[in-house]
């Protein structure tokens, strides 16, 4: 492990990894090869069984800005917390193991943070989806908002970020470690990335967005199972509790955004049930039924009403509890994705299940 890097770098890039040998070098080099040199990279491994740790250690031996932590078989939250313990930077940038930073990303973050004394910086995302031709299509999530200077101003902007699912995960965000420490936040105790984000932003004031698409995100994710859907339910409840803490339960824009986000996660979860292997058609149908009839799903349908139609054909099927129709629609979506057909996917559909 590298023990002596930049004494107080501007940013510590946190990479939680597991079996990442295919793309980890690209992720690491994208952070280390910036023209901006004031950086530390902490790689926190979750029990990789491939060459990930060896590859990272090889890079660490050549570059003292890299620290490698071997945690054994732990989950993401525990590995993230372990990385925070090793972070020396004034700020923390969370990355995912398959993602990469474009040249100039860290310099752009430093300019934004120093210009407005930000407590949280949210980067625009370039979601790079592989195509059948061997290339890729980039879908950009960009936010044109002025930096906020007080809590109420930020809360007014939350529906914009909520609609795209951006507040449900830590990747592509720049955090203040001093704020994390002051709030006593640990992801392992909070339970999920969404809960971590909710705790961080509950009283945050100075938030800004970096509009240039300098953070490239790979959407290739594992299929969602029934337990992962339960996680989405818990995250949805977390956002409802945040709205209550803000006394904004009657803020129409915020509540609509929270329920739209939940419904889109429901739709993606149903589609991902059909992307799983090793389960029977009967079990798939039962899992879809459980999702469609869940109390939180029915509450979201009631909250959205006719406005939910904007979410597409699947919403109408869910609203009517048409289980067979949901299954057929999910099956079609799976076949379209396997064939890489153009089905009008939004950037949200690519990041919803992080």
């Amino acid at each position: 492990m590298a023990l002596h890097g930049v004494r107080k770098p501007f940013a510590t890039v946190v990479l939680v990894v597991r079996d990442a040998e295919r793309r980890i070098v690209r992720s690491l080099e994208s952070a280390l090869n910036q023209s901006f040199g004031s950086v530390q990279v902490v790689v926190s491994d979750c029990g990789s069984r491939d060459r990930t740790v060896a590859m990272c250690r090889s890079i660490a031996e050549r570059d003292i800005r890299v620290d490698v932590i071997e945690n054994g078989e732990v989950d993401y939250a525990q590995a993230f917390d372990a990385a925070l313990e090793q972070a020396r930077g004034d700020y923390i940038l969370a990355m995912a193991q398959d993602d990469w930073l474009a040249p100039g990303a860290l310099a752009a973050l430093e300019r934004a943070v120093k210009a407005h004394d930000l407590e949280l910086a949210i980067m625009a995302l370039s979601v790079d989806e592989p195509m059948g031709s061997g290339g890729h299509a980039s879908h950009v999530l960009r936010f044109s908002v002025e930096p906020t200077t007080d809590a109420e101003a930020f809360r007014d902007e939350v529906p914009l970020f909520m609609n795209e699912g951006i507040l449900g995960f830590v990747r592509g965000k720049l955090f203040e470690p001093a704020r994390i420490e002051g709030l006593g936040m640990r992801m392992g105790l909070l339970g999920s990335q969404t809960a971590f984000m909710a705790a961080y932003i509950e009283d945050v004031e100075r938030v800004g967005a970096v509009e240039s698409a300098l953070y490239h995100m790979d959407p290739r994710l594992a299929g969602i199972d029934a337990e992962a859907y339960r996680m989405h339910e818990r995250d949805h409840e977390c956002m409802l509790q945040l709205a209550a803490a803000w006394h904004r339960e009657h803020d129409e824009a915020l509540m609509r955004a929270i329920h739209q986000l939940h419904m889109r996660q429901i739709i993606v979860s149903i589609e991902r049930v059909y992307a799983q292997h090793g389960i029977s058609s009967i079990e798939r149908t039962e899992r879809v039924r459980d999702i469609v009839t869940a109390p939180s799903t029915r509450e979201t349908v009631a909250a959205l009403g006719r406005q939910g139609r904007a979410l597409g054909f699947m919403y109408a099927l869910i609203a009517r509890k048409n289980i067979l129709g949901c299954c057929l629609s999910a099956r079609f979506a799976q076949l379209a994705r396997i064939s890489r057909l153009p089905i009008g996917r939004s950037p949200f559909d690519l990041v919803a299940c992080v």
Side-chain angles (χ1 to χ4, degrees), residues 171-235:
R171 69 208 293 191
K173 315 290 192 310
L174 194 74
F175 302 94
E176 277 189 326
R179 179 176 176 79
I180 293 171
E181 189 62 32
L183 293 171
M185 292 172 53
R186 292 296 181 270
M187 193 181 293
L189 296 175
L190 292 166
S192 71
Q193 294 189 46
T194 298
F196 183 91
M197 287 297 305
Y200 191 88
I201 68 174
E202 183 171 346
D203 295 311
V204 77
E205 297 181 346
R206 301 181 304 280
V207 180
V210 178
E211 291 187 48
S212 301
L214 299 173
Y215 187 100
H216 289 258
M217 178 174 173
D218 191 315
R220 284 172 283 200
L221 300 167
I224 293 297
D225 58 17
E227 178 55 32
Y229 169 69
R230 301 306 174 204
M231 180 190 70
H232 282 314
E233 283 192 311
R234 293 192 293 270
D235 288 345

Side-chain angles (χ1 to χ4, degrees), residues 89-271:
D90 291 323
Y91 293 88
I92 291 169
L93 174 62
M95 283 185 67
Q97 64 185 38
D98 292 336
D99 300 348
W100 56 281
L101 298 175
L106 293 180
L109 280 170
E110 186 192 40
R111 287 194 299 271
V113 166
K114 290 188 173 180
H116 304 285
D117 190 24
L118 298 181
E119 299 168 285
L120 174 67
I122 300 174
M123 300 185 74
L125 302 177
S126 177
V127 187
D128 302 330
E129 181 187 13
M131 304 299 291
S133 61
H136 69 273
S138 293
H139 310 262
V140 176
L141 286 172
R142 179 181 287 114
F143 308 97
S144 298
V145 294
E146 291 296 319
T148 61
T149 56
D150 60 70
E152 290 304 313
F154 169 67
R155 294 168 190 178
D156 288 340
E157 301 292 352
V158 164
L160 172 66
F161 298 112
M162 189 78 70
N163 274 328
E164 302 296 351
I166 292 297
L167 297 181
F169 53 85
V170 297
R171 69 208 293 191
K173 315 290 192 310
L174 194 74
F175 302 94
E176 277 189 326
R179 179 176 176 79
I180 293 171
E181 189 62 32
L183 293 171
M185 292 172 53
R186 292 296 181 270
M187 193 181 293
L189 296 175
L190 292 166
S192 71
Q193 294 189 46
T194 298
F196 183 91
M197 287 297 305
Y200 191 88
I201 68 174
E202 183 171 346
D203 295 311
V204 77
E205 297 181 346
R206 301 181 304 280
V207 180
V210 178
E211 291 187 48
S212 301
L214 299 173
Y215 187 100
H216 289 258
M217 178 174 173
D218 191 315
R220 284 172 283 200
L221 300 167
I224 293 297
D225 58 17
E227 178 55 32
Y229 169 69
R230 301 306 174 204
M231 180 190 70
H232 282 314
E233 283 192 311
R234 293 192 293 270
D235 288 345
H236 174 60
E237 182 61 28
C238 180
M239 287 304 175
L240 292 175
Q241 291 171 357
L242 182 63
W246 287 345
H247 304 291
R248 292 203 170 203
E249 306 98 315
H250 303 295
D251 183 327
E252 292 185 7
L254 176 61
M255 298 308 294
R256 182 170 58 252
I258 289 173
H259 284 292
Q260 284 180 340
L261 171 63
H262 188 221
M263 181 53 64
R264 292 163 97 174
Q265 289 173 330
I266 289 166
I267 292 169
V268 173
S269 294
I270 291 172
E271 292 177 354

Side-chain angles (χ1 to χ4, degrees), residues 32-43:
L32 296 171
N33 293 342
Q34 301 272 319
S35 57
F36 182 91
S38 184
V39 63
Q40 173 200 20
V41 179
V42 177
V43 180

